[in-house]
Amino acid sequence: MGLRLKIEGNESIHLPETSIITVQFGADIPHDSNARSTDLGSTVLIKGKILAAVNGEAADDTSKIARWSLVPAENSDCYRNVQIDVISASQVVRQITVPNAFVIDYEEDFTDDTGAGTFTLLMKQKKDKMVNLKFEGGFSGE
């Protein structure tokens, strides 16, 4: 299974299957609710590898994610369109589109045993745009 990440805003960010380790989607519903709450949110946690450029390849786009995480709330570019593709047997089994995502937390970890490094990106969908979040799947082969 492979995972691809595409982020569109003032600059495009693309991470291929070789970069992404895990993607976790969560629905944020208040735990103290006694009925289905209207206060619904969603989070996406992505963990991946920071890949070094070798043999003249271009560097990966993880540095662009780090820069996005620093965009202030006053700048409209803090909200970006995120698309995550889950690939299995050359077929997109799930495509998650988060059209108004913003960064909650971003970390990079560099240690001796992880090669070039790893990153963790936690994003949320803007609450007033929750109806625009999409889950699609069952696409034909690539």
Side-chain angles (χ1 to χ4, degrees):
M1 180 168 313
L3 301 159
R4 287 190 299 227
L5 175 66
K6 181 168 66 171
I7 302 171
E8 297 293 336
N10 281 351
E11 63 182 343
S12 294
I13 301 169
H14 298 277
L15 295 180
E17 292 95 338
T18 54
S19 293
I20 307 298
I21 300 169
T22 63
V23 173
Q24 294 177 315
F25 176 84
D28 291 337
I29 302 168
H31 293 279
D32 61 349
S33 180
N34 291 326
R36 182 66 175 175
S37 175
T38 58
D39 187 23
L40 177 64
S42 68
T43 58
V44 179
L45 177 66
I46 298 174
K47 295 181 182 179
K49 299 179 229 173
I50 298 170
L51 303 174
V54 293
N55 297 330
E57 296 173 342
D60 70 10
D61 282 354
T62 52
S63 62
K64 292 179 182 179
I65 297 174
R67 287 194 298 272
W68 175 36
S69 73
L70 301 174
V71 174
E74 298 82 22
N75 186 331
S76 64
D77 193 45
C78 70
Y79 297 103
R80 295 193 180 179
N81 184 56
V82 175
Q83 180 179 306
I84 301 160
D85 293 333
V86 181
I87 312 295
S88 181
S90 297
Q91 183 174 344
V92 178
V93 296
R94 181 77 71 238
Q95 186 175 76
I96 303 167
T97 305
V98 186
N100 300 95
F102 61 98
V103 177
I104 295 293
D105 190 34
Y106 180 75
E107 297 177 6
E108 291 185 351
D109 180 28
F110 299 96
T111 60
D112 287 345
D113 56 322
T114 59
T118 59
F119 72 90
T120 303
L121 171 65
L122 179 60
M123 299 176 289
K124 259 190 156 174
Q125 167 70 355
K126 191 175 181 193
K127 273 196 177 184
D128 63 341
K129 304 288 185 181
M130 282 296 296
V131 296
N132 299 330
L133 196 137
K134 293 182 193 171
F135 279 89
E136 299 172 301
F139 300 101
S140 61
E142 296 184 325

